[in-house]
Amino acid sequence: MKNTRKLRDLLASGESLVAPGVYDGLSARLVELAGFSAVYASGGAIARSAALPDIGLLSFSEVLERVEKIVDGSALPVIADADTGFGGSANVERTVRAFERAGVAALHLEDQAFPKRCGHLDDKSLIDTEQMCRKLRVAREALVDPDLRLIARTDAIAVEGFDAALERAQRYVEAGADMIFVEAPETLQQIREIAARIPGPKLINMFHGGKTPMMPVEELAALGYQLVIIPSDLQRAAIHATQQVLAQIKRSGDSSALASQLVSFQERERIVRTSRYLELDQR
């Protein structure tokens, strides 16, 4: 079964699908090995993996190359952050076609002005609603696989207010979005109102320390959020673990004191399937 159809079936299951955010092939592989059913290619985490902030500094080609590695890194359906489409409507068409060729199962486009910034940062700016609707119509026409999910994200809560964000979301559904992503609701009541007032499938962004309060996955499922992305937690954990190992190496010259926190040499090779590739030559 194609991953686009697999994701479509998962989203129709009645449960909330949790997709941890990744930024390279290895992190995608680890999500698969942990038993998840989908993975989120986080634009913010991809940017930070290049030691850059999530403010639109990476080019389309740089992001696409990383998305391709994430798709190749696991067998899971990939939900990809396509930012603003990297420009106007013509850019959106090229972005959508390239992401589909790369093998993503879903992608989301947002209504920020290009270059965008992280949805939980301040001082965002938006394009007008009609321009975003035009982008969504172009994206819909560019897609070949009818099962690939087109997700529309609005960042309007922080810019135009909550009611305006819901009005935009409704327009985006009418323009052809398969799923709505209202970024950065600031209260539990807003989370509930989005679910009640916006028809159809919905995505929500849940991570510790952001503007959105945490809500259990079971409650989100009951409200009608089919997809829960957790964009940055894996990368934040990796940063912390790396800092700890570096501090130990700086103190003592090696990391043996932290051996219990390191995967073994054998486990590392198992994760990247070394034996499988070596066997290809042996045949």
Side-chain angles (χ1 to χ4, degrees):
M1 183 186 296
K2 294 186 301 182
N3 272 339
T4 50
R5 184 56 184 268
K6 188 183 299 183
L7 179 64
R8 185 172 184 172
D9 291 348
L10 287 167
L11 293 173
S13 70
E15 299 181 0
S16 285
L17 179 65
V18 177
V22 302
Y23 46 92
D24 60 12
L26 178 60
S27 53
R29 176 71 51 76
L30 292 172
V31 170
E32 180 180 21
L33 293 175
F36 288 88
S37 298
V39 64
Y40 175 60
S42 165
I46 289 170
R48 288 184 291 271
S49 73
L52 293 170
D54 183 18
I55 55 173
L57 296 176
L58 288 187
S59 69
F60 160 72
S61 297
E62 290 173 303
V63 174
L64 176 62
E65 181 181 17
R66 188 60 64 89
V67 168
E68 290 171 340
K69 287 181 170 59
I70 290 168
V71 171
D72 289 342
S74 85
L76 299 179
V78 174
I79 300 104
D81 180 354
D83 286 340
T84 65
F86 299 92
S89 295
N91 303 83
V92 166
E93 181 182 73
R94 180 174 184 236
T95 297
V96 167
R97 287 178 174 172
F99 274 43
E100 182 172 18
R101 287 195 301 270
V104 306
L107 60 87
H108 67 73
L109 295 166
E110 64 197 66
D111 57 8
Q112 286 195 54
F114 180 79
K116 56 73 57 91
R117 60 178 58 199
C118 171
H120 289 247
L121 292 177
D122 296 325
D123 299 322
K124 297 182 287 187
S125 59
L126 307 180
I127 61 176
D128 65 57
T129 303
E130 184 50 46
Q131 186 178 357
M132 181 60 180
C133 289
R134 184 162 58 249
K135 282 187 171 187
L136 291 170
R137 289 191 291 267
V138 167
R140 171 58 63 202
E141 292 171 1
L143 289 173
V144 175
D145 186 345
D147 288 327
L148 197 155
R149 301 292 83 187
L150 176 61
I151 304 166
R153 165 177 153 177
T154 179
D155 286 71
I157 290 177
V159 182
E160 299 175 344
F162 183 70
D163 288 335
L166 295 191
E167 290 174 8
R168 279 179 174 261
Q170 180 61 52
R171 290 284 307 279
Y172 300 164
V173 171
E174 296 165 1
D178 298 303
M179 177 177 283
I180 289 297
F181 174 11
V182 180
E183 174 66 306
E186 298 175 352
T187 66
L188 294 175
Q189 182 57 33
Q190 286 186 351
I191 294 173
R192 295 186 182 99
E193 282 197 48
I194 292 166
R197 293 170 57 181
I198 301 301
K202 286 167 284 290
L203 178 157
I204 191 164
N205 179 0
M206 280 272 135
F207 68 95
H208 176 70
K211 291 186 175 183
T212 302
M214 303 297 289
M215 180 178 280
V217 173
E218 295 77 14
E219 290 187 39
L220 293 170
L223 289 171
Y225 288 96
Q226 284 88 348
L227 181 57
V228 180
I229 58 170
I230 306 175
S232 61
D233 289 13
L234 298 186
Q235 188 173 60
R236 291 163 69 185
I239 290 169
H240 178 71
T242 301
Q243 288 172 330
Q244 298 301 304
V245 174
L246 287 171
Q248 181 60 40
I249 293 172
K250 182 71 172 177
R251 283 192 298 269
S252 64
D254 63 63
S255 61
S256 57
L258 299 177
S260 64
Q261 299 179 39
L262 308 179
V263 299
S264 68
F265 178 91
Q266 293 76 16
E267 175 66 3
R268 184 194 69 188
E269 298 307 302
R270 185 188 72 80
I271 289 169
V272 298
R273 301 185 296 178
T274 300
S275 61
R276 175 191 177 277
Y277 289 102
L278 294 178
E279 287 170 3
L280 294 176
D281 282 332
Q282 293 170 359
R283 292 180 199 169

